[in-house]
Amino acid sequence: MVNIDEEPQDTTIERHASWTELFFDLVAVAGVSALAHMLRPELDAAALGLYALLFLALWLSWTTFMLYGNVAADQTRVLRLMVGMFGLGVMAASVPGVAHTVLGHGSDIRPLNVFAIAYVATRVYGSKSWQRGAVLLDFPVAQYSAGLLPWFASLWVDEHWKLALWAAGVGLDLLLILVLSGSGILQRVQSYLTAPERTRRRSRSGVSPDGMGPVIHGVSVDPAHLSERLGLFVIIVLGESVVQIVAAASEARYDLGLLATAIASFILLAGMFGLSVVFGYAGLPHLRAGRIPTRAALGLHCLVTGVVAAIAVPLSLVVRHGSDPLPEHVRWLLCGVVAAYFTLGVVTGVASHSSDLPRTTSRVTTGIAAPLLLGLLATAVSGRTLVIYLALIVLAHLWFERRLAPRSLPMKLPAAPGGS
């Protein structure tokens, strides 16, 4: 008999991230930091496209192991996470070489092959972590490797085709995230294994049809643990941005202008922390627990962390050259990142039904339209003044959220989004 059931979740004890998981997150954020540094020399469409492509690859690798640890809980194998960390470390270390070859028109394609091999090996190894017969209902793409085929094929083509195949592989994974349903996969497996011809085949082979067939079960994420891991990842990315700003300030001339820039930059990053963690949920601004599916929360988390990681680049440049107007591409990156962050907040608020029409309109006009207008019109404004304007926008949103929040709002990570 084929036994197909859904594994129950024990929600009586709230789990927290282990030391190994925190170490794993720090290694992943090291890759995010390397990607942010990649944007510094020359910021254009090609650099942003490469940043997005490599960030998605890093995030998918991190998510595969993060979800494994979430589901496996106390049975998580530390050695397996360590191997995943090493793979992420190799990917991070090869980012500068990839950027030099692609953006600097270098001729050495070995860093691209190293990144591709590390990505394929890390994803394959991570996808094999699951218990045999278990189907992850919330994010099944973590168990499947179809999107890795273009990456594997890219090892035998030249640079331009490599990037095209990488984009195709990541695009296929993103498509599978949208269309794959864990429950649907479980039902299809059930139909396949209980088909009459397979039952007759097992009988002819001497296998008893009353219990000797494979056991297939569905597994779901631990919501509270998932919320904590997603929120912690956003916090660590914000912390990495602070580190880059501090490093830039250590090389700048100390004066009142530097102090004003540092305070405004810190307010901007601290405001994002408040909106994402204190008044948000699972690291997502304006999200409420249990309002959207897990895979939707994961997709939004990928976008939010990618946006937050990119803001360190223009802020560091402002710290160094705060009294001068920013170059056009840097100004647009700074204002565009803030506008993108609030755009994702609006999407999250609407999707989770936590925003009414007046609140959504306010967020669109002040959080999206105002930064974009600054990017368009503030051509002669110093970088320092521009950061102060953006910090005031974030601070106003933070004040507004605190006014609307109940007085009993806990200053900690809330519980996590629901299932698929």
Side-chain angles (χ1 to χ4, degrees):
M1 179 187 299
V2 179
N3 181 15
I4 302 180
D5 57 357
E6 183 172 338
E7 190 176 88
Q9 284 287 324
D10 182 9
T11 58
T12 58
I13 301 177
E14 183 176 341
R15 286 175 53 211
H16 294 284
S18 66
W19 294 116
T20 307
E21 289 173 324
L22 291 175
F23 186 23
F24 188 89
D25 291 348
L26 288 172
V27 174
V29 173
V32 175
S33 175
L35 290 175
H37 282 87
M38 181 189 75
L39 293 174
R40 292 181 186 278
E42 182 179 354
L43 182 61
D44 54 16
L48 286 174
L50 184 63
Y51 169 83
L53 178 60
L54 299 186
F55 180 86
L56 285 167
L58 278 164
W59 184 85
L60 285 168
S61 298
W62 172 78
T63 302
T64 300
F65 284 91
M66 182 271 293
L67 292 174
Y68 158 67
N70 178 285
V71 174
D74 294 337
Q75 298 181 7
T76 301
R77 297 181 179 179
V78 174
L79 179 60
R80 186 169 289 275
L81 291 184
M82 293 292 178
V83 173
M85 276 188 250
F86 181 80
L88 286 173
V90 173
M91 293 170 65
S94 61
V95 165
V98 172
H100 176 71
T101 301
V102 176
L103 304 177
H105 307 292
S107 58
D108 188 3
I109 64 171
R110 286 177 297 178
L112 282 78
N113 287 334
V114 169
F115 187 92
I117 292 172
Y119 174 66
V120 171
T122 303
R123 284 286 309 278
V124 169
Y125 187 73
S127 67
K128 301 302 181 183
S129 303
W130 304 92
Q131 182 184 16
R132 185 170 181 176
V135 176
L136 181 59
L137 301 178
D138 308 282
F139 203 72
V141 73
Q143 295 178 279
Y144 298 95
S145 307
L148 300 179
L149 296 177
W151 286 81
F152 185 73
S154 72
L155 297 175
W156 289 275
V157 299
D158 61 22
E159 171 195 326
H160 299 292
W161 280 106
K162 284 182 189 296
L163 295 178
L165 287 171
W166 290 6
V170 170
L172 180 58
D173 275 328
L174 296 178
L175 178 63
L176 292 176
I177 290 174
L178 294 175
V179 302
L180 274 185
S181 166
S183 300
I185 293 174
L186 198 62
Q187 291 175 0
R188 286 193 292 271
V189 172
Q190 179 181 20
S191 300
Y192 173 74
L193 293 176
T194 56
E197 58 272 14
R198 287 192 60 82
T199 303
R200 290 194 298 269
R201 193 177 306 154
R202 288 199 302 273
S203 298
R204 289 196 299 269
S205 63
V207 177
S208 172
D210 60 353
M212 298 300 294
V215 176
I216 306 296
H217 62 281
V219 295
S220 296
V221 299
D222 180 331
H225 182 264
L226 178 65
S227 170
E228 185 176 68
R229 289 296 301 277
L230 296 182
L232 285 172
F233 194 83
V234 172
I235 292 173
I236 296 172
V237 170
L238 286 168
E240 175 58 31
S241 298
V242 173
V243 169
Q244 294 188 43
I245 293 170
V246 169
S250 67
E251 301 173 358
R253 180 174 176 270
Y254 288 6
D255 55 20
L256 290 178
L258 176 62
L259 178 61
T261 305
I263 292 175
S265 299
F266 181 76
I267 289 174
L268 185 58
L269 294 175
M272 288 183 169
F273 162 79
L275 292 173
S276 292
V277 180
V278 178
F279 298 106
Y281 185 60
L284 303 178
H286 312 314
L287 181 62
R288 297 294 179 267
R291 299 288 183 87
I292 62 176
T294 296
R295 55 181 173 175
L298 284 169
L300 287 168
H301 177 267
C302 175
L303 296 175
V304 167
T305 50
V307 166
V308 169
I311 200 171
V313 176
L315 288 180
S316 299
L317 293 173
V318 171
V319 168
R320 288 192 177 94
H321 313 286
S323 60
D324 302 324
L326 292 174
E328 182 178 9
H329 60 279
V330 178
R331 185 180 73 252
W332 273 113
L333 177 63
L334 177 59
C335 297
V337 162
V338 175
Y341 177 81
F342 280 108
T343 299
L344 292 170
V346 168
V347 171
T348 303
V350 172
S352 61
H353 307 288
S354 62
S355 301
D356 51 24
L357 183 58
R359 198 178 305 181
T360 300
T361 303
S362 172
R363 290 170 181 167
V364 169
T365 54
T366 60
I368 302 175
L372 292 178
L373 285 174
L374 287 173
L376 180 65
L377 302 176
T379 56
V381 174
S382 69
R384 179 180 304 131
T385 304
L386 188 59
V387 172
I388 292 173
Y389 286 157
L390 294 173
L392 289 174
I393 290 174
V394 174
L395 197 60
H397 278 257
L398 198 61
W399 177 83
F400 186 66
E401 291 298 321
R402 181 160 182 80
R403 285 288 301 269
L404 292 175
R407 294 186 180 274
S408 60
L409 179 69
M411 301 295 285
K412 64 179 183 178
L413 288 171
S420 64

